[in-house]
Amino acid sequence: AAEIERRRSAHGLETTVVTHPAAGHRAVLPGEPSPDGGMSMARGGSPAADAALGAMQSQSAAGSRPADKEWAQWFKDHGRSTAASDALIARAWGAIRSDSTALANNALKEARTRFPWVAKDPRYELALGTAAYLEGRYADVLVHPTGSPLDAAVVYLRALTDEAAKRPLQAAARYQEVVDRYGDARLRDVAMLAKANVFMKSASYKS
């Protein structure tokens, strides 16, 4: 993996290798075989836990969020698996999408307590910042770009926070950064519109 990262970087292709000696498990999506053969790897988890988590993640990606009872059953069956770190982060994001920031914060707190390394996981940091933003705790939105594929979303969240905290110039600059620096097609147009809206609301266009 490190050699692939080196070769891609030499050609200007940004590549990030994410590893952790205590984690390393992977979610098994529906239809995929369990990775139970081949060379010894830092994988962790169990085939059952990975398959169950993969099914729930697939369900979420399809727009159908797992119910509370499904999460409760997963943690009852597989809560001691190393897959629980991913499951807690996924649970937090599901709660955020359901406007339950209290539940999201609880899941993130448990993830940080049980698996301290998640503090540097971009998904964890973005979820923590998003929950703080939604609760109006703008000073607690501390997430920053780290070179991960989530950087565009991170900068967009910081722009939203600046706008909500009545810092229009900073917000506009960050919206523009999303447009200029990141190639995330999902955020480019909304960032452009958000920047225009900031200028209209603040009457900065008159200056």
Side-chain angles (χ1 to χ4, degrees):
E3 178 61 20
I4 292 173
E5 179 186 28
R6 186 192 66 76
R7 292 203 308 266
R8 286 176 56 84
S9 297
H11 291 281
L13 300 172
E14 183 176 340
T15 305
T16 302
V17 178
V18 180
T19 62
H20 192 283
H25 93 283
R26 54 162 296 207
V28 180
L29 298 177
E32 285 188 325
S34 297
D36 55 1
M39 68 180 68
S40 176
M41 299 174 65
R43 187 175 288 139
S46 70
D50 293 347
L53 179 57
M56 295 177 73
Q57 290 175 327
S58 180
Q59 183 179 341
S60 295
S64 177
R65 302 184 186 105
D68 288 343
K69 63 179 182 180
E70 293 178 89
W71 280 114
Q73 187 63 50
W74 191 94
F75 284 110
K76 179 181 178 180
D77 294 341
H78 312 293
R80 292 184 177 276
S81 165
T82 53
S85 60
D86 269 7
L88 286 165
I89 294 175
R91 181 71 180 104
W93 275 112
I96 287 171
R97 296 185 184 101
S98 299
D99 295 324
S100 181
T101 54
L103 178 57
N105 285 326
N106 287 338
L108 293 170
K109 181 179 180 180
E110 183 178 351
R112 175 68 182 268
T113 300
R114 293 182 57 191
F115 310 99
W117 63 81
V118 303
K120 294 184 178 181
D121 187 316
R123 300 167 302 161
Y124 170 89
E125 293 183 307
L126 184 58
L128 198 66
T130 301
Y133 165 75
L134 292 173
E135 292 179 340
R137 296 183 287 108
Y138 305 134
D140 293 334
V141 181
L142 303 175
V143 63
H144 56 85
T146 60
S148 87
L150 295 177
D151 279 358
V154 167
V155 176
Y156 187 76
L157 173 62
R158 294 301 298 263
L160 289 173
T161 303
D162 284 332
E163 183 177 357
K166 302 188 184 305
R167 299 188 292 264
L169 294 181
Q170 293 93 322
R174 282 194 163 116
Y175 284 133
Q176 189 62 47
E177 182 180 353
V178 173
V179 174
D180 293 341
R181 186 172 180 180
Y182 303 103
D184 193 323
R186 297 167 299 178
L187 289 175
R188 186 178 186 279
D189 289 347
V190 292
M192 291 177 65
L193 291 172
K195 178 188 175 184
N197 190 53
V198 166
F199 277 112
M200 291 295 292
K201 288 196 299 184
S202 65
S204 298
Y205 62 91
K206 296 180 181 180
S207 61

Short mmCIF file of all heavy atoms in Angstrom, two decimals, residues 62-95:
data_model
loop_
_atom_site.label_atom_id
_atom_site.label_comp_id
_atom_site.label_asym_id
_atom_site.label_seq_id
_atom_site.Cartn_x
_atom_site.Cartn_y
_atom_site.Cartn_z
N ALA A 62 -28.33 3.26 0.47
CA ALA A 62 -29.49 3.21 -0.41
C ALA A 62 -30.60 4.17 0.03
O ALA A 62 -31.64 4.25 -0.59
CB ALA A 62 -30.03 1.79 -0.47
N GLY A 63 -30.34 4.89 1.15
CA GLY A 63 -31.31 5.87 1.61
C GLY A 63 -32.30 5.35 2.63
O GLY A 63 -33.22 6.06 3.04
N SER A 64 -32.14 4.10 3.05
CA SER A 64 -33.02 3.51 4.06
C SER A 64 -32.22 3.30 5.33
O SER A 64 -31.38 2.39 5.41
CB SER A 64 -33.60 2.18 3.57
OG SER A 64 -34.39 1.58 4.57
N ARG A 65 -32.43 4.15 6.33
CA ARG A 65 -31.61 4.10 7.53
C ARG A 65 -32.03 2.95 8.44
O ARG A 65 -33.21 2.74 8.68
CB ARG A 65 -31.72 5.41 8.30
CG ARG A 65 -31.31 6.62 7.47
CD ARG A 65 -31.32 7.90 8.28
NE ARG A 65 -31.07 9.03 7.39
CZ ARG A 65 -31.99 9.88 6.99
NH1 ARG A 65 -33.23 9.73 7.40
NH2 ARG A 65 -31.69 10.87 6.17
N PRO A 66 -31.05 2.21 8.95
CA PRO A 66 -31.36 1.12 9.88
C PRO A 66 -32.11 1.66 11.11
O PRO A 66 -31.81 2.74 11.61
CB PRO A 66 -29.97 0.59 10.28
CG PRO A 66 -29.08 1.00 9.16
CD PRO A 66 -29.61 2.31 8.67
N ALA A 67 -33.08 0.91 11.57
CA ALA A 67 -33.87 1.32 12.73
C ALA A 67 -33.05 1.14 14.01
O ALA A 67 -32.06 0.41 14.04
CB ALA A 67 -35.15 0.50 12.80
N ASP A 68 -33.51 1.81 15.07
CA ASP A 68 -32.81 1.71 16.35
C ASP A 68 -32.69 0.26 16.80
O ASP A 68 -31.66 -0.15 17.34
CB ASP A 68 -33.56 2.52 17.42
CG ASP A 68 -33.41 4.02 17.20
OD1 ASP A 68 -32.50 4.43 16.46
OD2 ASP A 68 -34.20 4.78 17.78
N LYS A 69 -33.75 -0.52 16.59
CA LYS A 69 -33.71 -1.91 17.05
C LYS A 69 -32.68 -2.73 16.28
O LYS A 69 -32.09 -3.68 16.82
CB LYS A 69 -35.09 -2.55 16.94
CG LYS A 69 -35.65 -2.67 15.53
CD LYS A 69 -37.01 -3.35 15.54
CE LYS A 69 -37.56 -3.53 14.12
NZ LYS A 69 -38.89 -4.18 14.14
N GLU A 70 -32.44 -2.36 15.01
CA GLU A 70 -31.43 -3.06 14.23
C GLU A 70 -30.03 -2.76 14.76
O GLU A 70 -29.19 -3.65 14.85
CB GLU A 70 -31.53 -2.67 12.76
CG GLU A 70 -32.81 -3.13 12.08
CD GLU A 70 -32.87 -2.67 10.65
OE1 GLU A 70 -32.37 -3.40 9.78
OE2 GLU A 70 -33.41 -1.58 10.39
N TRP A 71 -29.80 -1.49 15.11
CA TRP A 71 -28.51 -1.13 15.70
C TRP A 71 -28.35 -1.82 17.05
O TRP A 71 -27.27 -2.33 17.37
CB TRP A 71 -28.41 0.39 15.87
CG TRP A 71 -28.05 1.11 14.61
CD1 TRP A 71 -28.84 1.98 13.92
CD2 TRP A 71 -26.82 1.04 13.90
NE1 TRP A 71 -28.16 2.46 12.82
CE2 TRP A 71 -26.93 1.90 12.79
CE3 TRP A 71 -25.63 0.33 14.09
CZ2 TRP A 71 -25.90 2.06 11.87
CZ3 TRP A 71 -24.60 0.50 13.19
CH2 TRP A 71 -24.73 1.36 12.09
N ALA A 72 -29.40 -1.80 17.85
CA ALA A 72 -29.33 -2.43 19.16
C ALA A 72 -28.98 -3.91 19.03
O ALA A 72 -28.18 -4.45 19.81
CB ALA A 72 -30.65 -2.25 19.91
N GLN A 73 -29.58 -4.57 18.04
CA GLN A 73 -29.30 -5.99 17.84
C GLN A 73 -27.86 -6.20 17.39
O GLN A 73 -27.19 -7.15 17.83
CB GLN A 73 -30.27 -6.57 16.80
CG GLN A 73 -30.18 -8.09 16.65
CD GLN A 73 -30.55 -8.82 17.93
OE1 GLN A 73 -31.58 -8.53 18.52
NE2 GLN A 73 -29.71 -9.74 18.36
N TRP A 74 -27.37 -5.31 16.52
CA TRP A 74 -25.99 -5.45 16.06
C TRP A 74 -25.03 -5.33 17.23
O TRP A 74 -24.11 -6.15 17.38
CB TRP A 74 -25.65 -4.38 15.01
CG TRP A 74 -24.34 -4.67 14.33
CD1 TRP A 74 -24.14 -5.34 13.17
CD2 TRP A 74 -23.03 -4.33 14.82
NE1 TRP A 74 -22.79 -5.44 12.90
CE2 TRP A 74 -22.09 -4.83 13.89
CE3 TRP A 74 -22.57 -3.65 15.95
CZ2 TRP A 74 -20.72 -4.67 14.06
CZ3 TRP A 74 -21.19 -3.51 16.13
CH2 TRP A 74 -20.29 -4.00 15.18
N PHE A 75 -25.22 -4.32 18.07
CA PHE A 75 -24.31 -4.14 19.20
C PHE A 75 -24.46 -5.26 20.23
O PHE A 75 -23.49 -5.64 20.89
CB PHE A 75 -24.54 -2.77 19.85
CG PHE A 75 -23.96 -1.64 19.06
CD1 PHE A 75 -24.78 -0.74 18.40
CD2 PHE A 75 -22.58 -1.48 18.95
CE1 PHE A 75 -24.24 0.30 17.66
CE2 PHE A 75 -22.04 -0.44 18.21
CZ PHE A 75 -22.87 0.45 17.56
N LYS A 76 -25.66 -5.82 20.34
CA LYS A 76 -25.85 -6.95 21.24
C LYS A 76 -25.07 -8.17 20.74
O LYS A 76 -24.43 -8.90 21.54
CB LYS A 76 -27.33 -7.30 21.35
CG LYS A 76 -27.63 -8.49 22.25
CD LYS A 76 -29.12 -8.79 22.30
CE LYS A 76 -29.40 -10.02 23.17
NZ LYS A 76 -30.87 -10.32 23.22
N ASP A 77 -25.10 -8.38 19.44
CA ASP A 77 -24.45 -9.56 18.86
C ASP A 77 -22.95 -9.38 18.64
O ASP A 77 -22.18 -10.34 18.74
CB ASP A 77 -25.11 -9.91 17.51
CG ASP A 77 -26.56 -10.35 17.66
OD1 ASP A 77 -26.95 -10.74 18.78
OD2 ASP A 77 -27.29 -10.29 16.66
N HIS A 78 -22.54 -8.15 18.29
CA HIS A 78 -21.16 -7.94 17.85
C HIS A 78 -20.46 -6.78 18.56
O HIS A 78 -19.43 -6.30 18.08
CB HIS A 78 -21.14 -7.68 16.34
CG HIS A 78 -21.94 -8.64 15.53
ND1 HIS A 78 -21.61 -9.98 15.41
CD2 HIS A 78 -23.09 -8.47 14.82
CE1 HIS A 78 -22.50 -10.59 14.65
NE2 HIS A 78 -23.41 -9.70 14.27
N GLY A 79 -21.01 -6.33 19.66
CA GLY A 79 -20.47 -5.14 20.32
C GLY A 79 -19.03 -5.23 20.75
O GLY A 79 -18.36 -4.21 20.92
N ARG A 80 -18.51 -6.45 20.94
CA ARG A 80 -17.12 -6.61 21.35
C ARG A 80 -16.16 -6.74 20.16
O ARG A 80 -14.95 -6.82 20.34
CB ARG A 80 -16.97 -7.84 22.26
CG ARG A 80 -17.66 -7.67 23.60
CD ARG A 80 -17.41 -8.87 24.50
NE ARG A 80 -18.01 -8.68 25.81
CZ ARG A 80 -17.44 -8.02 26.82
NH1 ARG A 80 -16.25 -7.48 26.64
NH2 ARG A 80 -18.04 -7.89 27.97
N SER A 81 -16.70 -6.75 18.96
CA SER A 81 -15.88 -6.85 17.77
C SER A 81 -15.17 -5.52 17.52
O SER A 81 -15.66 -4.45 17.89
CB SER A 81 -16.76 -7.19 16.57
OG SER A 81 -16.07 -6.97 15.36
N THR A 82 -13.99 -5.58 16.86
CA THR A 82 -13.33 -4.33 16.49
C THR A 82 -14.13 -3.58 15.43
O THR A 82 -13.89 -2.40 15.19
CB THR A 82 -11.91 -4.61 15.95
OG1 THR A 82 -11.99 -5.57 14.89
CG2 THR A 82 -11.01 -5.12 17.04
N ALA A 83 -15.08 -4.26 14.82
CA ALA A 83 -15.97 -3.56 13.87
C ALA A 83 -16.84 -2.54 14.58
O ALA A 83 -17.44 -1.69 13.93
CB ALA A 83 -16.86 -4.58 13.15
N ALA A 84 -16.91 -2.60 15.91
CA ALA A 84 -17.75 -1.67 16.67
C ALA A 84 -17.30 -0.23 16.49
O ALA A 84 -18.11 0.69 16.60
CB ALA A 84 -17.75 -2.05 18.15
N SER A 85 -16.02 0.00 16.22
CA SER A 85 -15.56 1.38 16.02
C SER A 85 -16.23 1.99 14.80
O SER A 85 -16.74 3.12 14.84
CB SER A 85 -14.04 1.43 15.88
OG SER A 85 -13.60 0.65 14.77
N ASP A 86 -16.26 1.23 13.69
CA ASP A 86 -16.94 1.70 12.48
C ASP A 86 -18.44 1.80 12.73
O ASP A 86 -19.11 2.73 12.24
CB ASP A 86 -16.69 0.73 11.33
CG ASP A 86 -15.47 1.12 10.50
OD1 ASP A 86 -14.75 2.05 10.91
OD2 ASP A 86 -15.23 0.49 9.47
N ALA A 87 -18.99 0.84 13.45
CA ALA A 87 -20.43 0.83 13.69
C ALA A 87 -20.87 2.04 14.50
O ALA A 87 -21.92 2.63 14.23
CB ALA A 87 -20.82 -0.46 14.43
N LEU A 88 -20.08 2.44 15.48
CA LEU A 88 -20.45 3.59 16.30
C LEU A 88 -20.41 4.89 15.48
O LEU A 88 -21.27 5.76 15.64
CB LEU A 88 -19.51 3.70 17.51
CG LEU A 88 -19.77 2.65 18.61
CD1 LEU A 88 -18.60 2.58 19.57
CD2 LEU A 88 -21.07 2.98 19.36
N ILE A 89 -19.42 5.00 14.60
CA ILE A 89 -19.37 6.18 13.73
C ILE A 89 -20.55 6.18 12.76
O ILE A 89 -21.19 7.22 12.54
CB ILE A 89 -18.03 6.23 12.98
CG1 ILE A 89 -16.88 6.44 13.95
CG2 ILE A 89 -18.05 7.35 11.93
CD1 ILE A 89 -15.50 6.39 13.31
N ALA A 90 -20.85 5.02 12.20
CA ALA A 90 -22.00 4.92 11.29
C ALA A 90 -23.29 5.23 12.03
O ALA A 90 -24.19 5.88 11.49
CB ALA A 90 -22.06 3.52 10.69
N ARG A 91 -23.38 4.76 13.27
CA ARG A 91 -24.57 5.04 14.09
C ARG A 91 -24.72 6.53 14.34
O ARG A 91 -25.82 7.08 14.29
CB ARG A 91 -24.46 4.29 15.43
CG ARG A 91 -25.67 4.50 16.34
CD ARG A 91 -26.86 3.75 15.77
NE ARG A 91 -28.05 3.88 16.58
CZ ARG A 91 -29.09 4.67 16.28
NH1 ARG A 91 -29.05 5.43 15.20
NH2 ARG A 91 -30.15 4.71 17.05
N ALA A 92 -23.59 7.19 14.59
CA ALA A 92 -23.63 8.64 14.83
C ALA A 92 -24.12 9.39 13.59
O ALA A 92 -24.96 10.29 13.70
CB ALA A 92 -22.24 9.13 15.23
N TRP A 93 -23.62 8.99 12.42
CA TRP A 93 -24.07 9.67 11.20
C TRP A 93 -25.55 9.41 10.93
O TRP A 93 -26.27 10.31 10.48
CB TRP A 93 -23.22 9.21 10.00
CG TRP A 93 -21.96 9.99 9.88
CD1 TRP A 93 -20.68 9.55 10.08
CD2 TRP A 93 -21.85 11.38 9.56
NE1 TRP A 93 -19.79 10.58 9.89
CE2 TRP A 93 -20.48 11.71 9.57
CE3 TRP A 93 -22.78 12.38 9.27
CZ2 TRP A 93 -20.01 13.00 9.30
CZ3 TRP A 93 -22.32 13.67 9.00
CH2 TRP A 93 -20.97 13.96 9.02
N GLY A 94 -26.01 8.21 11.21
CA GLY A 94 -27.43 7.94 11.06
C GLY A 94 -28.27 8.82 11.98
O GLY A 94 -29.32 9.33 11.59
N ALA A 95 -27.79 9.02 13.20
CA ALA A 95 -28.50 9.86 14.15
C ALA A 95 -28.50 11.32 13.71
O ALA A 95 -29.51 12.03 13.84
CB ALA A 95 -27.87 9.74 15.54
#
